[in-house]
């Protein structure tokens, strides 16, 4: 071993630092070695926080201990962290013998989100809605004639539930059949200022929604004329409330 020379200024400085370190307490107060214990505990707490934060599910003490250095007491650290986060925005809680961070109960309202998930329309409902939109006011029999199949109560009920169609009135013809039309909510949902803003035949072809080779008799009414369509005789409130509940009790089959 090489002896340190007394006249070596570097060696003398190192000796001075050693003597100073031996005399100075390791912590702010307390015997030597306190600072090392505090540092180990602080680093262990950081490790536990990281493991719990990154975990996709709560962790038990055994799982945490397997990831930590041998001299880190996971149970003690968990107790300390639980106290540390007791008044914070997130709390450390034990659930079924496992530990996890969760939002403080009194802040749960900040995370609530209310969303409306519109029900996906069936092909039958989509076709029926389109026919009503373009041919209103229109009767059930006329809808079935255009579609070529019977219209079920479930299809009409779905459109009523979405508030996209309404009862327009009664046709001035034998039997006084009820007619359907669209609602203000229909315009709002599809971003239309007026029913006359529905795309016409040319617009649908340009958008690629219709084949370029359509049957010779195929036609779509001019949406502009819908704004001028006359109202039928209005239904009474009682008739309107009960109509779609009982009118389709017969003829449920055939909708597709």
């Amino acid at each position: 071993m090489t002896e340190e020379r007394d006249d070596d200024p570097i060696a003398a400085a190192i000796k001075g630092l050693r003597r100073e370190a031996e005399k100075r307490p390791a912590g702010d107060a307390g015997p030597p070695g306190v600072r090392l214990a505090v540092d180990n505990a602080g680093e262990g707490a950081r490790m536990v926080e990281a493991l719990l934060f990154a975990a996709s599910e709560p962790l038990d003490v055994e799982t945490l201990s397997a990831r930590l250095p041998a001299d880190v007491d996971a149970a003690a650290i968990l107790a300390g962290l639980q106290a540390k986060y007791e008044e914070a925005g997130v709390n450390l809680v034990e659930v079924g013998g496992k530990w996890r961070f969760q939002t403080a109960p009194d802040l749960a309202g900040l995370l609530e989100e209310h969303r409306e998930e519109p029900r996906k329309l069936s092909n039958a409902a989509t076709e029926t809605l389109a026919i009503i939109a373009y041919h209103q006011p229109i009767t059930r029999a006329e809808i079935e004639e255009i579609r070529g199949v019977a219209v079920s109560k479930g299809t009409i009920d779905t459109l009523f539930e979405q508030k996209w169609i309404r009862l327009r009135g009664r046709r001035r013809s034998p039997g006084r059949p009820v007619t359907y039309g669209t609602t203000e909510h229909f315009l709002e949902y599809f971003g239309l200022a007026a029913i006359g803003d529905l795309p016409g035949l040319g617009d649908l072809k340009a958008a690629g929604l219709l084949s370029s080779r359509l049957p010779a008799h195929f036609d779509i009414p001019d949406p502009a004329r819908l704004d001028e369509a006359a109202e039928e005789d209005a239904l009474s409130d009682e008739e309107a409330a009960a109509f779609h509940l009982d009118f389709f009790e017969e003829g449920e089959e055939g909708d597709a």
Side-chain angles (χ1 to χ4, degrees), residues 119 121-122 124-125 128-129 132 140 143-144 147 149-162 165 167 180 240-256:
R119 188 192 324 182
L121 291 182
S122 65
T128 301
L129 177 62
I132 293 173
R140 175 194 179 191
I143 296 171
E144 292 175 344
R147 288 197 64 220
V149 295
V151 178
S152 76
K153 177 178 180 294
T155 296
I156 293 296
D157 281 348
T158 296
L159 299 179
F160 270 114
E161 289 168 6
Q162 296 290 341
I165 66 171
L167 300 173
Y180 298 94
F243 178 80
H244 76 283
L245 298 178
D246 57 16
F247 187 74
F248 289 101
E249 288 181 355
E250 300 178 359
E252 292 292 316
E253 72 286 344
D255 206 346

Side-chain angles (χ1 to χ4, degrees), residues 4-255:
E4 296 176 347
R5 295 170 48 192
D6 292 338
D7 59 347
D8 185 344
I10 296 178
I14 292 174
K15 281 184 177 181
L17 290 173
R18 285 176 178 169
R19 287 193 296 270
E20 187 68 22
E22 290 171 356
K23 291 186 295 183
R24 182 179 301 170
D28 293 337
V34 170
R35 176 177 297 168
L36 180 59
V38 170
D39 289 346
N40 284 348
E43 188 63 19
R46 293 181 67 241
M47 293 178 182
V48 171
E49 285 176 329
L51 290 170
L52 292 173
F53 179 79
S56 58
E57 58 186 17
L59 301 178
D60 55 29
V61 174
E62 291 74 18
T63 301
L64 288 168
S65 297
R67 292 271 186 169
L68 299 171
D71 59 342
V72 175
D73 186 346
I77 287 177
L78 287 169
L81 290 177
Q82 187 176 37
K84 172 184 175 182
Y85 286 98
E86 186 174 4
E87 302 297 331
V90 292
N91 301 147
L92 180 61
V93 297
E94 184 179 9
V95 181
K98 298 182 179 182
W99 295 82
R100 73 180 182 192
F101 282 113
Q102 67 180 34
T103 306
D106 60 312
L107 300 179
L110 295 174
L111 305 179
E112 290 181 355
E113 181 179 4
H114 300 279
R115 294 186 301 174
E116 291 187 8
E117 295 290 344
R119 188 192 324 182
K120 183 178 180 181
L121 291 182
S122 65
N123 289 337
T126 302
E127 293 172 7
T128 301
L129 177 62
I131 291 170
I132 293 173
Y134 278 95
H135 294 267
Q136 60 185 304
I138 187 171
T139 66
R140 175 194 179 191
E142 291 166 342
I143 296 171
E144 292 175 344
E145 182 180 359
I146 293 173
R147 288 197 64 220
V149 295
V151 178
S152 76
K153 177 178 180 294
T155 296
I156 293 296
D157 281 348
T158 296
L159 299 179
F160 270 114
E161 289 168 6
Q162 296 290 341
K163 300 180 180 179
W164 288 342
I165 66 171
R166 65 185 176 94
L167 300 173
R168 289 278 299 258
R170 291 192 179 276
R171 180 68 51 82
R172 298 185 183 96
S173 60
R176 308 285 287 163
V178 171
T179 59
Y180 298 94
T182 54
T183 64
E184 291 293 324
H185 185 67
F186 170 86
L187 298 178
E188 294 172 5
Y189 186 88
F190 290 98
L192 301 171
I195 198 65
D197 292 332
L198 283 168
L201 182 60
D203 298 324
L204 293 173
K205 285 183 176 179
L209 299 176
L210 290 177
S211 170
S212 58
R213 291 183 291 182
L214 294 170
H217 65 280
F218 184 86
D219 186 31
I220 289 180
D222 179 8
R225 68 97 192 163
L226 296 174
D227 286 328
E228 303 172 358
E231 287 282 349
E232 307 291 349
D233 289 343
L235 295 170
S236 68
D237 292 341
E238 292 77 10
E239 286 178 314
F243 178 80
H244 76 283
L245 298 178
D246 57 16
F247 187 74
F248 289 101
E249 288 181 355
E250 300 178 359
E252 292 292 316
E253 72 286 344
D255 206 346

